[in-house]
């Protein structure tokens, strides 16, 4: 690098600095610093004339570096950066020395304040003398988004983006979009029917020109970074051409294979060629390749030859600028709660199964009948916190169970007014608009019997009745309740396979939920730039929260996809590939996954690095350095502030 | 009976363990060949001839120094070869970095004698007044390496130097005999750290997390698995590759006898920072300060671990000794 | 009255630099002899504060010639300190690996340090060495060089590094022994056996019978009637790795038998200001100066004196023959150390060869992590040069608080001094000084194969580097010096 | 002239650094012995740099960063700093250098009072320890 010709500009800030710091003395001392060829002081450097002085001096003295000693950079860094650039210098060849907030304003002792000011300036001079010039980093943004998960969260985000004119790829694992919400009967607290509000949205997604849906598909590989990701999507064969299928159902009728219907959570049977539910999107039959025996009967009866049992899976590649992860949740496996007899007694079911019983399109056409014998249910027991808030299962609260259980009880009572409904609960958590009122209504209007306490055991007695034994923790009494049907409000667990998470560099918390950058301030972003999260994959939440968060995620994605290029500070980490030994310590400490291994050595992804320098301090061989704050510079700065001491 | 035309080679000692001698002898025939071209004017362990031979010579061509510098006489020999020898070789970890005895760098003579003379079995003491000739040489206030006191031309690291250092040295000796004096300073070994060559790559190739700190006696080490990922301190990341990894192949972590890798100015400080950084990096927010401190406390002897062979060259050692002097 | 000082500095062909000083009084009588070791590294001091489990890889640097001895002794100390019994497999592999150390050191000493004296008695100094041997007796020299690389290879299989190895852990060893390791070692061991076979034969025919060896062997001056100490295995067989410590007196009577942990009851150390190295002595006798009947010797000869049997065929034969030659035990002839070394080498290779065929060497059970730490441990092993003692104490963090290391050369230190004086009396009383007579002095020292790096793990002499004879007055002030050839010599003295 | 402790304060620019700005804006007073070195994040501070300060005559080194667990602008740089400093203090002790000469504190952008308190405390603590290199050395 050429010999440093540093100009130092000392601001009086009226009396703010000059009143305490002996500016003349400072100017004298600073002039002696190595590399300093010009020193000027002025009453208000930030004023136009002040800035002019800098601009002129740069040209006149042909300075190649500038230090402005004034207030804190957070106030006027940009001001002087512009001036420096106007003078024809790169802003990266300029530093500010804060001698007001860090000296004149905090010390009365003029001598000491002056000496300290000199040291602070000396540090800036030392640093700037080694500063290099860098160009801002720009990266092209692909104006296209990938949404993973076709539930209410994914659909909402997809629609928001699509409506803003962004092309969206929506990837759904199952044969139809709609997610868990499609299984629900009514939704609390308003009790409007889930299908009625969901299916129009599904249709909208289906026909939206900006949305491309891949069902029966999963994301298997992700490359690239913010603004420009390349993803591989594995599309399993539907074996029925959605464009041809007319839903005539002939194929279904002739199909000899019967298997439990997962959409009804096993409460009904379906065929190997089937449609998950009438309003499924895409609106077409699908062949269950796992169970299909390829007998070929369906082929014979299909009037439009829509069926092709030989269809193979395919891999699709897409380029996107942003990725929204909305893979949702599952219920905690009830089998693990041995004491409740789930999976042993047919009449012990989970909340989603109960939703299906309640659903007009469900296996019982909405009638609440016992799965075991189809008899109507007179006595029903709901067990809340089944798995949740339990150290042995899920330590956390699943949040929505209190509300839907109240809803369940209400709907039971509406259908069986003379029936008895008992709810075992630990606490009632009804935080939300209209929630508390809803629960009160259930307790009072519908005389649902709320018992505070855990059920310790469920068994079938001699008369074939289910018996739930628990303790009422309020009265301290042991309680035994007989029931025809028992509903477990199973906890919520995230549905995000770790493999995909690590491909997306989405950090996962100890329970498997996606980890946001900041719980309060950046709730839909993750450490990896350009990847956003929403819905139950981030934590248990109800539909309204999910939708809110989905729109938030969409908005964040839009913020990114709205730009043609992303421009970023060039002051990031840089690897000396000759020195690097590929020990991976920097990869480990980097909070942004901004460092990757290329040919056995580290390489910084310029678009991801935020320039914190953690890698620099961790590298055992000093191979990775923070631009314009290298080890050499840091040591020079330390020497400078201590000049004349040791 | 020096054959004319042969070059003069001296092998002199500081405070040694003899391992360097053996390592050199172990090169067997190779050494014999090289020695065709040299006259060993001095080598305590292997040939007769007294130190005065060394002093009497006005010029030595090559001098190989083994051992660390702990006593006045170690120092005297060091200066002697610097004055007389054309090519000075620091051979072995002790000569290059201070080595194991370098761990005594912070101990002053009085302290050492106090401890040595108070071991459980030391029960009888006697002092006779001695003529000068029988007096013992003074112990230096610190223990240091040849490199710290003079500027050798060639450095052969290792405890003891392995094949790479030995082959390197023998080649230098042959070249020198052929009139080719090495240009600049030579240090034998790779321009890389051990991790670069180590077969024990981390499981997840995108990171290397220490799951805690375990001491050698606490766990059974898994063969083939990165030591750091087993919570074992391994000096690999900061240590020069020059050894063919005998310890690691023997399922023991590196303790850094080859000295700092290129780019490392102070091996202890750099390594400390690297280790602290990757320790439980995935659990920081769960464990918080106290939790992390508890794990860090299992590094009971950072000095002895991080500076096992390089204590005299540590910045903190120099600071601490300078301070001792100033404070008197 | 005045004294003359004769100083041989450094004594060569011993490990580490030392100085021998003979003091001759005005009547030309040898008044005193000092074998001074003058280097300090300070292991006892800087081992304090170290993580105790790291000591095997630190203390091995006490000596690079017998680094395995220190490494294994240190490991044994930790077994006790951690209260762990090493698994049978680990124990066997340690023992097998350790035979390598004995062979390594013994061969090195015999060929490089000792042989020149007997094979090339009249060669000039610069040829009285391995180089000279290459001319005189190429085969043995070449075989020796070959053996070096074989030994190196075997040591590498066990410890990765042949010197300052990484092998022993508290309660076991670092890695499982694999099929290919076993095959390799087995093959190399067979090769080594043949070489040793030749060297033993060479010794028996060429050296043992040689006039010069016989002369020294039976020379009164090279004979000390002392106590002897060493480890004895089951029914007093030769065992380097473990067993009880046994001490016999100069007439062969057993006077003590004890476990390592009890060593402080039997052994104490004397310290002087003229040598950094200490002088261990038998505690119940107390320190009685360099008075041979109170001294104790260790090492090859001492071991063969305390044991009754060598548990390997050919070595046992040689052993019987040796005793027969001297008409019984104990053997006091210092030069027999060389002979004993040869017999031990033979035993080691025989035993090693056999042990390699024992079962469960390949077991995965190589490390025992169970056991209650007792925070103190003593480990004793028979190093090539004799009994080696490591003794550590640790605090609750298992940091070393006390480290005491007594090496064989230290134990022999007093004997070496006593013998030096004896020999000096014999060859120097006439005052004639020449290189040859000085080498005779050194030979007595060399017989012990003193390892001063060892002995002086705390101190070692760089010392005065002139070989000189000086006249000093009673206050030790130098009166005069005279050149003789390359050396300063002064004969005569002044009242 | 009487000895004055010389203290280098590594402040991250987001928390401790801003707190120092705020202290200025609020015209709070603290000892001039403290000389700030502003770094992007405490995670950038290497033990080597801390020792460099001592070598060049610092009697004490203060590291100021964002509160754990969640305040760090770069997520967890403060934890890196904590672990390094904690271990370095341990090691300094072994070298016979008082670990108290090195101190790490979490000071949020709003905690100017804490900044003032900490700096005052630290200066007087170092005053008691005396000059790192002994009397008559490193006077202001």
């Amino acid at each position: 690098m050429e010999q440093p010709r540093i100009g130092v500009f000392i601001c009086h800030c009226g009396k703010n600095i000059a009143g305490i710091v002996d500016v003349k003395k400072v100017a004298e001392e600073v002039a002696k610093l190595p590399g300093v060829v010009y020193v000027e002081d002025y009453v208000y450097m930030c004023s136009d004339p002040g800035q002019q002085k800098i601009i002129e001096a740069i040209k006149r003295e042909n300075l190649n570096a500038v230090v402005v000693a004034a207030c804190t950079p957070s106030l006027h860094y940009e001001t002087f950066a512009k001036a420096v650039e106007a003078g024809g210098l790169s802003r990266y060849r300029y530093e500010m020395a804060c001698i007001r907030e860090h000296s004149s304003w905090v010390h009365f002792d003029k001598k000491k304040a002056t000496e300290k000011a000199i040291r602070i300036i000396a540090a800036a001079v030392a640093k700037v003398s080694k500063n290099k010039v860098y160009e801002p980093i720009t990266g092209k943004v692909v104006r296209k988004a990938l949404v993973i998960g076709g539930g209410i969260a994914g659909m909402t985000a997809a629609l928001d983006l699509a409506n803003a004119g962004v092309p969206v790829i929506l990837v759904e694992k199952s044969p139809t979009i709609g997610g868990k919400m499609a299984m629900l009967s009514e939704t609390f607290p308003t009790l409007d029917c889930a299908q009625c509000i969901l299916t129009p949205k599904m249709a909208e997604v289906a026909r939206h020109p900006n949305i491309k849906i891949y069902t029966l598909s999963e994301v298997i590989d992700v490359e690239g970074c913010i603004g420009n990701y390349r993803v591989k999507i594995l599309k399993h064969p539907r074996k029925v051409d959605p464009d041809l299928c007319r839903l005539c159902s002939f194929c279904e009728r002739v199909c000899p294979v019967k298997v439990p219907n997962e959409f009804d959570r096993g409460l009904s049977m379906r065929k190997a060629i089937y449609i998950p539910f009438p309003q499924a999107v895409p609106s077409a039959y699908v062949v269950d390749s796992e169970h299909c025996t390829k007998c070929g009967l369906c082929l014979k009866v299909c009037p439009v030859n829509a069926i092709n049992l030989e269809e193979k899976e395919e891999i699709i590649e897409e380029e996107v600028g942003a990725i929204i992860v909305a893979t949702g949740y599952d219920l905690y496996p009830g089998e693990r709660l041995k004491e409740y007899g789930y999976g042993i007694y047919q009449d012990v079911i989970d909340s989603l199964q109960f939703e299906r019983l309640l659903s007009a399109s469900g296996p019982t056409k909405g009638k609440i009948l016992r799965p075991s014998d189809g008899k109507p249910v007179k006595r029903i027991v709901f067990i809340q916190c089944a798995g949740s808030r339990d150290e042995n299962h899920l330590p956390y609260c699943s949040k929505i169970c209190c509300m839907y259980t109240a809803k369940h009880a209400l709907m039971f009572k509406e259908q069986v007014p003379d029936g008895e409904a008992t709810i075992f609960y630990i606490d009632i958590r009804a935080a939300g608009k209209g929630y508390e009122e809803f629960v009160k209504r259930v307790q009072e209007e519908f005389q649902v019997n709320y018992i505070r306490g855990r059920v310790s055991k469920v068994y079938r007695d001699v008369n074939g009745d289910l018996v739930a034994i628990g303790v009422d923790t309020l009265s301290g009494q042991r309680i035994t309740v007989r029931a025809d049907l028992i509903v477990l409000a199973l906890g919520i667990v995230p549905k995000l396979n770790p493999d995909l998470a690590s491909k997306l560099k989405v950090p996962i918390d100890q329970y498997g939920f996606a980890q946001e950058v900041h719980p309060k301030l950046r709730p839909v972003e993750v450490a990896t730039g350009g990847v956003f999260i929403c819905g139950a994959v981030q934590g248990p939440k109800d539909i309204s929260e999910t939708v809110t968060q989905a729109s938030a995620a969409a908005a964040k994605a839009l913020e990114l996809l709205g730009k043609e290029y992303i421009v970023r500070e060039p002051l990031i980490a840089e690897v000396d590939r000759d020195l690097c030994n590929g020990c991976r310590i920097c990869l480990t400490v980097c909070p942004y996954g901004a460092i990757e291994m290329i040919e056995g050595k580290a390489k910084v992804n310029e678009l991801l690095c935020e320039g914190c320098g953690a890698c620099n301090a961790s590298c055992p061989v000093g191979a990775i350095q923070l631009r314009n704050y290298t080890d050499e510079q840091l040591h020079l700065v330390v020497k400078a502030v201590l000049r004349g001491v040791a | 009976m020096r054959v004319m035309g042969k070059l003069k080679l001296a092998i002199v000692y500081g405070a040694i363990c003899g391992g360097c001698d053996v390592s050199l002898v172990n090169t067997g025939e190779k050494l014999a060949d090289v020695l065709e071209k040299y006259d060993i004017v001095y080598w305590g362990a292997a040939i007769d001839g007294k130190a005065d031979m060394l002093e009497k010579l006005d010029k030595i061509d090559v001098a190989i120094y083994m051992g660390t510098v702990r006593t006045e006489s170690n120092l005297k020999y060091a200066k002697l070869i610097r004055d007389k020898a054309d090519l000075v070789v620091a051979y072995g970890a002790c000569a290059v970095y201070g080595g194991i005895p370098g761990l005594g760098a912070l101990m002053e003579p009085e302290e050492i004698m106090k401890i040595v003379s108070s071991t459980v079995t030391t029960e009888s003491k006697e002092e006779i007044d001695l003529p000068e000739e029988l007096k013992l040489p003074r112990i230096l206030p610190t223990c240091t390496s040849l490199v710290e006191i003079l500027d050798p031309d060639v450095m052969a690291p290792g405890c003891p130097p392995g094949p790479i250092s030995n082959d390197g040295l023998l080649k230098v000796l042959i070249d020198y005999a052929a009139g080719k004096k090495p240009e600049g300073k030579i240090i034998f070994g790779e321009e890389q750290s051990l991790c670069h060559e180590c077969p024990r790559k981390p499981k997840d190739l995108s990171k290397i997390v220490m799951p805690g700190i375990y001491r050698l006696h606490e766990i059974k080490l898994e063969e083939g698995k990165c030591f750091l990922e087993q919570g074992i301190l391994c000096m690999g990341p900061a240590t020069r590759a020059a050894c063919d990894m005998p310890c690691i192949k023997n399922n023991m972590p590196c303790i850094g006898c080859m000295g700092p890798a290129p780019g490392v100015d102070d091996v202890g400080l750099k390594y400390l920072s690297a280790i602290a950084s990757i320790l439980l990096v995935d659990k920081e927010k769960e464990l918080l300060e106290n939790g992390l401190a508890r794990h860090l406390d299992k590094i009971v002897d950072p000095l002895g671990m991080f500076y096992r062979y390089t204590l005299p060259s540590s910045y903190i050692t120099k600071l601490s000794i300078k301070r001792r002097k100033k404070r008197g | 009255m005045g004294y003359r000082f004769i100083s041989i500095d450094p004594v060569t062909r011993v490990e580490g630099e030392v100085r021998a000083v003979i003091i001759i009084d005005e009547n030309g009588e040898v008044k005193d002899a000092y074998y001074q070791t003058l280097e300090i590294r300070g292991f006892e001091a800087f081992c304090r504060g170290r993580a105790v489990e790291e000591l095997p890889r630190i203390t091995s640097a006490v000596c690079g010639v017998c680094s395995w001895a220190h490494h294994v002794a240190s490991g044994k100390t930790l077994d006790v300190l951690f209260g762990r019994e090493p698994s049978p497999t680990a124990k066997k592999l340690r023992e097998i690996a350790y035979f390598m150390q004995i062979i390594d050191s013994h061969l090195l000493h015999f060929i490089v340090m000792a042989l020149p004296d007997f094979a090339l008695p009249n060669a000039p100094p610069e040829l009285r060495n391995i180089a000279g041997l290459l001319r005189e007796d190429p085969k043995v020299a070449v075989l020796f060089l070959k053996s070096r690389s074989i030994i190196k290879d075997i040591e590498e299989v066990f410890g990765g590094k042949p010197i300052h190895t990484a092998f022993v852990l508290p309660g076991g060893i670092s890695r499982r022994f694999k099929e290919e390791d076993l095959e390799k070692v087995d093959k190399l061991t067979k090769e080594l056996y043949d070489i040793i076979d030749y060297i033993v034969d060479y010794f028996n025919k060429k050296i043992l019978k040689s006039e010069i060896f016989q002369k020294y062997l039976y020379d009164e001056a090279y004979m000390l009637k002392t106590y002897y100490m060493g480890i004895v295995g089951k029914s007093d067989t030769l065992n380097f790795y473990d067993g009880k410590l046994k001490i016999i007196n100069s007439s062969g009577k057993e006077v003590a038998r004890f476990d390592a942990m009890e060593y402080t009851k039997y052994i104490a150390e004397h310290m002087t200001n003229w040598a950094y190295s200490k002088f261990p002595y038998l505690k119940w006798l107390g320190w009685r100066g360099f008075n041979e009947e109170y001294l104790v010797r260790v090492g090859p000869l001492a071991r063969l004196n305390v044991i009754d049997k060598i548990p390997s065929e050919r070595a046992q034969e040689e052993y019987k023959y040796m005793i027969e030659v001297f008409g019984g035990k104990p053997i006091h002839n210092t030069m027999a150390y060389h002979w004993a070394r040869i017999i031990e080498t033979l035993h080691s290779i025989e035993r090693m060869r056999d042990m390699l065929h024992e079962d469960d060497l390949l077991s995965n059970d190589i490390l025992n992590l169970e056991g209650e730490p007792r925070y103190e441990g003593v480990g004793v092993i028979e190093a090539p040069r004799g009994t080696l003692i490591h003794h550590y104490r640790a605090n609750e963090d298992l940091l070393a608080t006390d480290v005491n290391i007594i090496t064989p050369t230290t134990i022999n230190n007093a004997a070496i001094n006593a013998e030096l004086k004896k020999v000096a009396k014999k060859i120097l009383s006439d005052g004639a000084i020449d290189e040859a007579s000085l080498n005779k002095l050194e030979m007595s020292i060399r017989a012990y194969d003193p390892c001063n790096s060892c002995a002086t793990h705390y101190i070692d002499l760089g010392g005065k580097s002139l070989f000189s004879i000086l006249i000093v007055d009673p206050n030790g002030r130098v009166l005069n010096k005279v050149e003789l050839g390359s050396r300063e010599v002064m004969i005569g003295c002044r009242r | 002239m009487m000895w004055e402790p010389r203290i280098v304060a590594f402040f991250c620019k987001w928390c401790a650094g801003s707190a120092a700005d705020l202290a200025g804006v609020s015209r709070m007073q603290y000892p001039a012995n403290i000389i700030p070195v502003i770094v992007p994040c405490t995670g950038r501070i290497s033990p080597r740099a801390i020792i460099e300060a001592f070598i060049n005559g610092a009697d004490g080194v203060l590291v100021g960063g964002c509160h754990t667990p969640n305040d760090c602008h770069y997520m967890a740089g403060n934890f890196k700093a904590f672990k390094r400093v904690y271990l370095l203090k341990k090691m300094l002790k072994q070298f016979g250098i008082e670990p108290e000469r090195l101190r790490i504190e979490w000071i949020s952008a709003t905690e100017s009072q804490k900044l003032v308190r900490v700096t005052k405390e630290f200066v007087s603590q170092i005053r008691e320890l005396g000059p790192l290199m002994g009397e008559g050395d490193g006077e202001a």
Side-chain angles (χ1 to χ4, degrees), chain A residues 265-283:
Chain A
R265 296 202 44 103
L267 294 176
S268 69
M269 300 300 273
R270 62 159 173 82
K271 296 295 188 64
I273 185 165
Y274 68 106
I275 182 161
F277 56 96
Q279 307 86 341
V281 170
S283 180

Side-chain angles (χ1 to χ4, degrees), chain A residues 363-616:
Chain A
T364 57
K365 304 279 171 288
K367 297 230 165 325
I368 304 173
L369 307 173
R370 304 212 306 187
S372 57
D373 51 16
K375 291 217 186 72
V377 174
K378 283 275 169 228
R379 303 162 302 173
I380 188 163
V381 167
F382 297 92
I383 299 176
Q384 287 190 191
C385 296
S388 308
R389 302 179 67 190
D390 178 342
E391 284 311 322
N392 308 322
H393 300 284
L394 307 172
Y396 54 87
C397 167
S398 292
K399 195 169 183 184
I400 63 174
C401 328
C402 289
M403 291 311 297
Y404 70 60
T405 303
K407 177 190 76 181
H408 288 167
L410 178 148
M411 294 176 72
F412 170 77
K413 293 290 280 188
E414 276 184 335
Q415 198 178 116
V416 192
D418 61 337
E420 20 176 293
T422 310
I423 298 176
F424 284 91
Y425 72 101
I426 299 178
D427 302 293
I428 293 301
R429 296 184 169 176
K433 202 171 168 189
Y435 289 11
E436 180 62 19
E437 299 85 327
F438 182 78
V439 174
K440 278 265 160 304
R441 200 171 136 227
V442 172
Q443 287 174 332
E444 286 153 15
E445 268 176 53
F446 293 87
Q447 294 133 33
V448 170
N449 178 16
Y450 271 85
I451 298 175
R452 191 174 192 283
R454 268 195 188 283
V455 169
S456 56
K457 190 170 181 13
V458 169
Y459 66 94
R460 197 182 275 289
D461 72 6
V462 284
N463 337 337
D465 286 343
L466 284 172
V467 184
I469 301 177
V471 173
D472 180 339
T473 51
L474 296 179
S475 66
Q477 281 172 342
R478 193 153 176 284
I479 302 228
T480 311
V481 186
R482 304 191 171 285
D484 307 314
L485 186 69
I486 292 181
V487 181
L488 304 182
L490 292 173
I492 280 181
V493 294
K495 192 168 157 192
L496 172 59
N497 91 43
D499 194 39
L500 177 61
S502 74
K503 284 202 172 73
L504 288 161
K505 302 211 196 81
V506 172
I508 292 182
D509 71 14
Q510 74 241 62
Y511 307 124
F513 289 105
Q515 182 66 56
E516 65 282 351
V517 173
H518 194 284
K520 305 265 173 298
L521 304 178
R522 300 171 71 183
V524 298
E525 295 159 81
V526 297
T528 329
V531 178
F532 310 93
I533 51 176
C534 60
V537 71
Q538 180 260 350
K541 53 179 64 69
D542 62 28
I543 294 167
S544 52
E545 288 174 310
T546 299
V547 169
T548 316
Q549 203 183 22
S551 292
K556 273 288 167 193
L558 276 174
E559 180 188 4
L560 164 63
L561 299 174
K563 309 180 196 125
E564 193 172 346
Y565 291 97
I566 28 174
V567 180
R568 314 186 81 253
E569 263 286 319
L571 300 187
I572 57 168
E574 203 167 22
V575 178
D576 175 341
R577 304 255 308 167
D578 295 335
L579 272 182
C580 175
N581 300 297
C583 69
R584 293 172 173 78
I585 285 169
C586 53
L587 278 77
T588 314
V589 297
C590 178
Y592 307 101
I595 311 176
E596 47 208 337
M597 295 296 287
I598 308 275
E599 288 140 14
K601 298 194 172 203
K603 191 173 177 313
V604 175
N605 182 322
E606 297 188 320
L607 295 174
L608 297 182
C609 178
E610 296 269 344
C612 67
C615 52
N616 189 340

Side-chain angles (χ1 to χ4, degrees), chain B residues 1 17 26 48 50 70 73 116 121-122 124 126 128 134 136-137 159 215 217 220 250 253 301 308, chain C residues 38 40 50 53 57 64 84 126 128 148 161 166 174-175 269-271 273 276 278 397 442 462:
Chain B
M1 228 84 22
C17 74
N26 279 354
D48 282 4
K50 307 299 171 211
R70 180 82 245 193
S73 63
V116 165
T121 43
T122 311
S124 146
E126 151 199 65
I128 56 174
L134 267 68
L136 301 173
C159 182
R215 292 170 64 176
H217 60 273
K220 185 169 180 184
N250 227 41
D301 176 25
R308 178 73 58 88
Chain C
L38 318 149
I40 177 149
R50 303 283 81 83
E53 74 275 13
R57 287 219 271 180
R84 297 175 182 177
E126 55 277 359
R128 202 185 305 126
R148 297 299 311 164
K161 286 197 290 182
S174 67
R175 85 174 165 95
E269 290 180 288
H270 172 73
M271 207 174 171
N273 60 331
Y276 283 132
K278 296 177 194 172
D397 293 331
E442 294 187 21

Side-chain angles (χ1 to χ4, degrees), chain C residues 134-220:
Chain C
L134 270 158
R135 304 185 180 190
E136 205 57 40
D137 208 323
K139 174 147 193 207
V140 73
V142 168
L143 277 178
F144 164 71
L145 290 176
K146 185 144 174 284
S147 76
R148 297 299 311 164
S149 70
I150 296 176
I151 289 164
K152 191 166 119 292
D153 293 349
I154 297 179
E155 285 173 337
E156 270 170 10
V157 174
F158 283 97
K161 286 197 290 182
I163 303 161
H164 302 324
T165 176
F167 178 58
V168 175
L169 283 169
I173 56 176
S174 67
R175 85 174 165 95
R176 193 173 73 82
F177 209 52
K178 299 191 177 57
E179 194 63 57
E180 60 264 35
D181 300 326
L182 191 56
E183 281 162 11
K184 186 169 180 200
V185 173
D186 195 44
K187 182 177 155 297
L188 290 166
T189 305
K190 289 191 173 75
E191 290 178 38
L192 188 54
Y193 184 92
D194 298 339
I195 294 176
I196 290 172
D197 185 46
Y198 177 88
I199 291 175
V200 170
D201 194 53
Y202 174 89
F203 175 82
N204 288 341
K205 293 203 178 72
K206 283 263 189 59
I207 304 301
L208 188 50
K209 301 274 186 299
S210 73
E211 181 192 331
I212 168 152
F213 189 75
Q214 290 289 320
K215 177 163 148 293
Y216 282 105
L217 191 55
Y218 295 105
D219 187 327
E220 280 297 321

